[in-house]
Amino acid sequence: MGNDRIRRPWRAVRRGWTEHSGRQERAGWPEHLGRPEFTERPERTGRPRRLRGTLLGLTLASGLLLTGCSGSGAGHSSADGAHGSGGYAGPLPAPNPTAGTDRGEPDGEQTGDAQREIAPSPDYLSTFALDVDTASYGYARRSLADGRLPDPSTVRPEEFVNSFRQDYRRPDGNGFSVTVDGARTRDGDWSLVRVGLATRTAAPDGERPPAALTFVIDVSGSMGEPGRLDLAKDSLGVMTDRLRDDDSVALVTFSNEAETVLPMTRLGHHRGRVHDAIDGLEPTESTNLGAGVRTGYDTAVEGLRKDATNRVVLISDALANTGETDADTILERVSGARREHGITLFGVGVGSEYGDALMERLADKGDGHTTYVSNDADARKVFCEQLPENIDLTARDAKAQVAFDPQTVRQFRLIGYDDRQVADRDFRDDRVDGGEIGPGHTVTALYAVRTRSGASGHLATASVRWLDPRTRSPHEESGQLETGSLDDDLWTAAPRLQVDAVAAYFADALRTGGGRGSALPGALPLPELAGRARTVASAAEDGAVRDLADSVERASRLAG
């Protein structure tokens, strides 16, 4: 992730992991890795899936913090509130052309899959764009309820983990708090380390900026199945009733072609007009999703409101079969609306057959996020309970960077975020796309970390960088973790950390073929994992975790 050289295969001790004892060397600090300055915001470059080039492996000097902020131990952040970029004191570590090159196999970052690329020399930085998508978990639950294991390609562990409530400290203003904690697994020197980011709680509804929402509704023939268009119409009705009088709504439909059914309309005394337009939706022919998205953005630009949150809300099963069907091609034609007007995309997936990859990519390229609804309860949660966080923004282009200390950490692997990886050198390049985050959101990243035998002291520093959604000014916040702050045993740690572990292990089992093996240290067989979920659900008094346990049990039965 931080090394751009062609990467080579490596011998796995367990599937996706290596064993090696490499050396660490201190390095200088080059000027070209300092904070870049930008007078205007050029076009974003997107999130690379694989990064190639010439950047050599990076290594950290012992104890050097990624930021100039103080604090140690689990759950500490540098300070309350957000820092401007001028408060950032520590530059990134320099390339080290010699470390790890003569040992055959690397320490540092691992990717967890022997068929994927890995860093050829020690790299102790991990950088990724934030993600609050949850569609992968919602669709997996739907698949299991229908009696089938989800396709492994649709399983994204970070979306499983981020589907559950967290108890992180919230910041007082815009921006993020940073919590770093972890616990030791029962697998050698391996631990799970959790980086938790939280935005402020959503303000009372009357205090948020007005919203200008363009609903883009799939009315193709495939949407006629129960639980698709009927659920979408119910969802829109709920959301329309919940919106304020000073919010605006437009409605675009698409099948073979796209049509603006309702131009941008201030709700006020026009809710009945909006409901009539929704009630008139009926399924027709094939799915020209590209036409729908283009018309939706055109309608959003035409009805653009200054000082409002302008967002396209796409509701579809994403089974595109007519016209343009590639996410990059579809959104390239509306890139100006995204870049110049800041219009973001919120994707809502429906249907037992669902184009997960296309919807996820659309939201990724459209500076937004996705969720999945399978029933009325899901719809009410998304369009009623979570309305502020799904339509408002507190941070744009948010990225996280975790610096592991090579004196205490031998290996690490980020669990998930495969499509959110960012080159380490681009952490402070504000031209490079990050994640868009709303109020009330939390973002959790889990790492499997192998500590050096007997090591103690500083283990990791996690930093988050984001742009203010209105001024575009950059801010950073950080938190740290010491080895002594790791809980002794994962399954006696804080309940929410245990929930995250269950979700991550569950996703990993589904990605490896229904639980017939796991690349993660400390993983449990699915029946035992379900028992852990039941125990922690009882302790947390959380129905969502009980649902997780049900899903694990279904997967266990289906996997045999």
Side-chain angles (χ1 to χ4, degrees):
M1 181 156 56
N3 296 280
D4 290 306
R5 206 161 46 174
I6 298 297
R7 296 170 174 179
R8 56 179 173 77
W10 48 288
R11 185 181 77 248
V13 174
R14 81 158 44 84
R15 198 182 79 85
W17 298 90
T18 60
E19 177 106 20
H20 176 60
S21 175
R23 68 177 180 225
Q24 283 68 47
E25 300 179 11
R26 296 181 182 270
W29 311 103
E31 293 182 0
H32 78 280
L33 289 178
R35 185 181 74 253
E37 300 292 340
F38 298 102
T39 57
E40 60 181 348
R41 181 177 174 81
E43 183 169 359
R44 294 171 178 167
T45 59
R47 297 170 189 150
R49 285 179 178 268
R50 290 187 174 178
L51 307 169
R52 293 183 173 88
T54 58
L55 185 64
L56 298 175
L58 301 174
T59 184
L60 279 175
S62 172
L64 186 65
L65 302 184
L66 184 63
T67 70
C69 305
S70 62
S72 61
H76 285 213
S77 62
S78 56
D80 289 340
H83 295 299
S85 58
Y88 196 95
L92 298 177
N96 184 344
T98 61
T101 59
D102 59 350
R103 299 288 182 172
E105 294 173 348
D107 281 5
E109 182 188 11
Q110 311 295 299
T111 63
D113 186 336
Q115 295 181 345
R116 289 179 58 200
E117 298 172 338
I118 66 162
S121 56
D123 175 8
Y124 289 88
L125 287 176
S126 171
T127 310
F128 59 95
L130 301 196
D131 181 18
V132 294
D133 292 352
T134 60
S136 176
Y137 175 65
Y139 187 46
R141 283 186 59 210
R142 170 66 182 265
S143 298
L144 291 166
D146 288 346
R148 67 182 190 276
L149 290 170
D151 184 332
S153 68
T154 68
V155 176
R156 294 180 291 277
E158 72 277 13
E159 297 186 24
F160 278 53
V161 173
N162 283 311
S163 294
F164 297 94
R165 179 173 58 84
Q166 301 293 346
D167 54 6
Y168 305 136
R169 181 184 64 83
R170 300 280 182 173
D172 294 331
N174 283 340
F176 295 87
S177 65
V178 182
T179 300
V180 194
D181 60 7
R184 301 184 186 277
T185 73
R186 299 173 183 178
D187 189 351
D189 294 324
W190 290 100
S191 298
L192 285 186
V193 169
R194 178 175 64 164
V195 176
L197 309 173
T199 58
R200 61 171 170 78
T201 55
D205 193 53
E207 296 181 14
R208 66 167 172 82
L213 306 177
T214 301
F215 295 119
V216 179
I217 313 302
D218 185 347
V219 294
S220 62
S222 63
M223 290 290 286
E225 175 194 303
R228 297 194 185 192
L229 184 57
D230 57 344
L231 184 59
K233 291 168 66 173
D234 290 343
S235 300
L236 287 176
V238 169
M239 194 171 193
T240 299
D241 289 336
R242 181 66 184 269
L243 291 169
R244 299 188 324 222
D245 286 348
D246 62 343
D247 293 326
S248 299
V249 168
L251 186 63
V252 172
T253 61
F254 66 93
S255 55
N256 280 349
E257 298 179 349
E259 176 187 3
T260 300
V261 175
L262 182 73
M264 193 65 70
T265 302
R266 193 77 63 99
L267 283 175
H269 300 294
H270 301 290
R271 292 181 194 272
R273 182 182 175 193
V274 176
H275 279 295
D276 287 343
I278 294 170
D279 293 341
L281 300 179
E282 296 292 341
T284 55
E285 302 177 60
S286 55
T287 310
N288 192 338
L289 193 149
V293 172
R294 288 197 307 275
T295 303
Y297 273 89
D298 289 343
T299 302
V301 170
E302 184 177 344
L304 192 76
R305 290 181 58 184
K306 186 178 180 181
D307 298 324
T309 301
N310 293 273
R311 174 159 285 198
V312 170
V313 182
L314 173 63
I315 304 179
S316 174
D317 58 15
L319 299 176
N321 55 24
T322 299
E324 294 167 345
T325 59
D326 174 70
D328 291 348
T329 303
I330 291 170
L331 284 173
E332 181 61 31
R333 302 186 62 156
V334 296
S335 60
R338 295 185 292 122
R339 186 174 62 253
E340 297 167 21
H341 303 297
I343 299 172
T344 57
L345 178 67
F346 176 35
V348 182
V350 296
S352 58
E353 297 297 328
Y354 167 56
D356 169 80
L358 178 57
M359 183 70 89
E360 192 267 344
R361 187 66 175 153
L362 283 169
D364 181 11
K365 296 287 288 184
D367 299 337
H369 64 284
T370 64
T371 191
Y372 178 88
V373 297
S374 61
N375 52 49
D376 290 339
D378 289 346
R380 184 164 295 278
K381 179 179 179 181
V382 168
F383 291 106
C384 189
E385 297 173 19
Q386 298 176 340
L387 180 63
E389 61 201 69
N390 286 327
I391 65 173
D392 198 8
L393 286 178
T394 59
R396 284 188 180 271
D397 290 319
K399 309 184 198 88
Q401 186 168 80
V402 183
F404 291 94
D405 193 321
Q407 301 301 315
T408 57
V409 173
R410 182 170 183 175
Q411 294 173 312
F412 69 91
R413 171 192 167 190
L414 175 61
I415 301 172
Y417 291 92
D418 300 334
D419 297 332
R420 297 293 191 266
Q421 298 179 11
V422 173
D424 296 330
R425 66 182 181 273
D426 289 338
F427 178 60
R428 287 188 200 86
D429 186 342
D430 295 327
R431 297 169 299 182
V432 175
D433 198 16
E436 275 60 40
I437 311 296
H441 272 137
T442 61
V443 181
T444 300
L446 288 180
Y447 287 86
V449 177
R450 187 182 185 188
T451 54
R452 296 188 180 275
S453 182
S456 64
H458 178 253
L459 189 143
T461 298
S463 292
V464 57
R465 180 181 177 89
W466 72 95
L467 303 181
D468 182 277
R470 290 168 180 81
T471 67
R472 302 280 185 172
S473 60
H475 301 269
E476 292 184 12
E477 192 70 63
S478 69
Q480 303 174 56
L481 180 66
E482 303 291 310
T483 58
S485 297
L486 291 172
D487 284 314
D488 288 338
D489 187 275
L490 174 62
W491 301 118
T492 60
R496 288 291 157 191
L497 177 56
Q498 293 187 53
V499 172
D500 296 339
V502 169
Y505 285 139
F506 182 35
D508 192 60
L510 293 176
R511 290 217 293 186
T512 54
R516 291 184 290 273
S518 175
L520 292 182
L524 301 173
L526 284 175
E528 188 175 346
L529 191 63
R532 291 288 180 187
R534 294 252 177 255
T535 299
V536 73
S538 178
E541 298 182 347
D542 190 337
V545 186
R546 289 192 292 273
D547 292 340
L548 171 63
D550 290 341
S551 295
V552 178
E553 288 176 347
R554 289 191 184 99
S556 179
R557 290 193 297 269
L558 291 168

